[in-house]
Amino acid sequence: MLHFMVLYMSIGEVYTNPPAQVSNITRQFHWIWISPPPTDRDRRVARAMVVEAAVSGSPPLAVGGVAGSSSMGVHGHRLSTVVPSSVTGEEVNYELADADLLHKLHYLRAVHVFRAPAAFAMEALKEPMFPWLDMYFPVSGRLRRRRQAEDGDGDGKDDAAAAAVGRRPYVRCNDCGVRVVEVACDATVEQWLEAEAERGGLCKALAYDKVIGPELFFSPLLYVQVTSFKCGGMALGFTWAHVIGDIPSAAACFSKWAQLFSGKKAPAPTLRDPLAMPPSAASPASVAAPPPSVKATAAPVGDHWAVPTTRDMVPFSFHVTEQQLQGLLLSAAPEGHQQRHVVGPFELVSALIWRALAAIRGPGGEEEATRTVTVVKTEPTPTPAGLANEHRIGHVVATGGSSPGTVDVAKLAALLAGAHLEEASAVAAAALAGAEGEDVDVVVYGANLTFVDAEGLAVYDGLELAGRRPAHVEYAVDGVGDGGAAVVHRDAGGRGRTVAAVVRRGEADRLRAALRDALHVA
């Protein structure tokens, strides 16, 4: 199949009167990939995407929070857009469930680093994206808000239903596509891996850093960043809006693209009926108060979907080797009696971080805050719905007179193992009940110190390119509240654990030192 590229050199050539917010970038270049040959509709979509790219773009040195002057930073950003190979349809809307909207302020970041030679041509990387986006057509859409007038026709019953829906967001499946970002890194993959192992937090620069809004209709739901290292290695970084699916949904979606790239058959996922409205949150009379595992924002954030924080949050990563993990498991083994709950690697690693951060944040007002932590458990297999937020959410509280910073790791791990978890839909019902059409914005990751169990995902096996396995993989959450959050998943060998976290500025070095001391790392 032939594919066409359209290069727009000047917004002025597309728009007679360009919008004010994009009039200062009339000399920027932007490639739009279209397949098959462009129709009039394609040209209209392309024009919209030119403006969208201009509004959505971030300053090159700000991407990933790493300055381009650093050898580990990235530079030379070049943006393009890939759309589905076929038209989804006219006026196709993908309705969002309450569990989806519960996570609308959060994002997922998945980075896969490949050793040289892995410099695949951009054309080869983009080629399978066309059928991939046919399968996952909502990912190519753009967010809109429903107008009350669409749902009410004047009688009391319909007007009440309209008020309940309010300006509820949904995805317009208009085939605007995903954004592809090409960048370069002046380090080799080996230099990068060595620096990542030493100080961590470097994966942030390998995935495009952009939240949704403030113009919903210009904001892509997925960015794919391709980083070229000077040695010929490559990194693929995905920035995924959590509102369209959880970690297993995202991982399954990325894996489909890798299968298509490798020439394998990839069965299409089973998506929700885009025309069916998912069940709304239960009425206030039938649900309890919002659980302590999540918190509502002080005020609605509007159309700029970013978590309001009072702290500067920074990325943090750490590797727990198989040998260190075995030592933790042995030290936590019960003596002479059975444990009530099975304690595994996730609980032990999370307990180690919990205790360390509680000690760092110290007594006083922070002590009470560190007693409650949120636990998010992902399903070990991709969700049947294809795109959904179906993980479980709960919380635990460290009771007693002692601060979590002084409690034995095994006891904290046992608390985490006994966490009462509920489906995200049930948590959403409690958190969003009584909104009556008004915007209610909720923080999940970082409402408290949050631990995300992603151990069941085969993150290294899910994205092989033409038989090449990544040398390093990191799945993390972005858009994190002041409490911080940590994702725990398997390492390259499957027996150790990778921790990808977001913590407060000033905590990263102290946390690394505390973990190394606890794990007896020289």
Side-chain angles (χ1 to χ4, degrees), residues 267-341:
T270 303
L271 304 182
R272 284 199 307 258
D273 181 356
L275 302 179
M277 174 70 77
S280 297
S283 63
S286 61
V287 298
S293 53
V294 301
K295 293 179 181 177
T297 59
V301 302
D303 287 345
H304 190 208
W305 291 7
V307 172
T309 59
T310 60
R311 310 270 186 163
D312 188 13
M313 309 301 289
V314 298
F316 170 87
S317 57
F318 192 84
H319 181 222
V320 181
T321 67
E322 178 185 359
Q323 183 179 2
Q324 293 163 353
L325 196 56
Q326 289 300 321
L328 277 177
L329 290 167
L330 289 174
S331 66
E335 297 181 4
H337 64 277
Q338 282 290 104
Q339 285 182 322
R340 184 178 176 184
H341 302 285

Side-chain angles (χ1 to χ4, degrees), residues 72 189-203 315-321 324 472 474 498-499 507-517 521-522:
M72 298 301 158
V189 169
E190 296 306 324
Q191 289 171 338
W192 187 93
L193 291 172
E194 183 179 346
E196 167 64 21
E198 178 62 27
R199 66 178 192 259
L202 298 184
C203 279
F316 170 87
S317 57
F318 192 84
H319 181 222
V320 181
T321 67
Q324 293 163 353
H472 182 81
E474 181 179 296
T498 294
V499 176
E507 291 181 342
D509 290 341
R510 297 174 66 186
L511 177 58
R512 184 175 305 281
L515 294 178
R516 284 180 170 174
D517 183 62
V521 178

Side-chain angles (χ1 to χ4, degrees), residues 353-437:
I353 298 170
W354 185 5
R355 187 179 70 171
L357 281 177
I360 290 170
R361 293 176 182 177
E366 287 290 314
E367 180 175 338
E368 284 303 312
T370 57
R371 287 184 180 275
T372 302
V373 299
T374 297
V375 179
V376 177
K377 289 255 186 181
T378 63
E379 298 298 324
T381 55
T383 56
L387 292 174
N389 281 286
E390 295 182 341
H391 50 242
R392 294 176 296 154
I393 305 170
H395 75 283
V396 296
V397 181
T399 57
S402 300
S403 164
T406 61
V407 175
D408 185 71
V409 169
K411 292 183 179 179
L412 294 177
L415 280 175
L416 292 168
H420 175 68
L421 304 171
E422 296 192 63
E423 298 294 333
S425 57
V427 176
L432 304 179
E436 297 183 354

Side-chain angles (χ1 to χ4, degrees), residues 15-88:
Y15 290 91
T16 306
N17 296 304
Q21 65 264 38
V22 299
S23 60
N24 62 333
I25 50 111
T26 56
R27 290 183 298 277
Q28 285 196 356
F29 291 83
H30 188 69
W31 292 99
I32 294 99
W33 290 68
I34 299 173
S35 168
T39 63
D40 288 341
R41 177 187 178 279
D42 294 328
R43 294 185 180 94
R44 289 195 300 270
V45 171
R47 292 187 184 105
M49 287 188 294
V50 172
V51 180
E52 179 184 325
V55 175
S56 298
S58 297
L61 296 184
V63 175
V66 178
S69 58
S70 168
S71 63
M72 298 301 158
V74 296
H75 59 87
H77 294 74
R78 185 173 184 235
L79 276 67
S80 60
T81 297
V82 179
V83 301
S85 65
S86 58
V87 176
T88 298

Side-chain angles (χ1 to χ4, degrees), residues 104-263:
K104 74 178 190 180
L105 303 186
H106 302 299
Y107 305 85
L108 303 175
R109 184 180 72 245
V111 172
H112 307 74
V113 181
F114 295 84
R115 287 189 171 93
F120 299 103
M122 283 305 303
E123 291 82 357
L125 294 173
K126 289 177 178 178
E127 182 77 23
M129 291 185 181
F130 300 112
W132 176 51
L133 295 177
D134 284 340
M135 295 180 182
Y136 286 94
F137 60 90
V139 179
S140 288
R142 295 295 181 266
L143 288 157
R144 299 286 189 273
R145 284 190 183 273
R146 190 172 302 283
R147 293 175 296 178
Q148 291 186 9
E150 293 177 4
D151 298 288
D153 59 4
D155 64 42
K157 182 177 179 181
D158 286 341
D159 288 346
V165 173
R167 299 186 66 242
R168 183 186 180 98
Y170 66 96
V171 177
R172 172 64 60 87
C173 300
N174 53 10
D175 303 328
C176 274
V178 303
R179 189 79 72 245
V180 179
V181 185
E182 301 171 58
V183 298
C185 179
D186 292 333
T188 66
V189 169
E190 296 306 324
Q191 289 171 338
W192 187 93
L193 291 172
E194 183 179 346
E196 167 64 21
E198 178 62 27
R199 66 178 192 259
L202 298 184
C203 279
K204 177 81 170 179
L206 302 185
Y208 202 65
D209 190 10
K210 185 71 175 68
V211 302
I212 289 174
E215 295 88 2
L216 294 185
F217 42 87
F218 284 155
S219 298
L221 299 175
L222 173 63
Y223 289 88
V224 182
Q225 179 171 313
V226 182
T227 304
S228 300
F229 292 90
K230 72 175 185 178
C231 62
M234 180 186 72
L236 288 173
F238 298 88
T239 304
W240 170 277
H242 208 318
V243 72
I244 53 173
D246 53 17
I247 294 179
S249 296
C253 180
F254 307 153
S255 181
K256 290 285 186 187
W257 169 79
Q259 292 174 44
L260 292 170
F261 177 85
S262 302

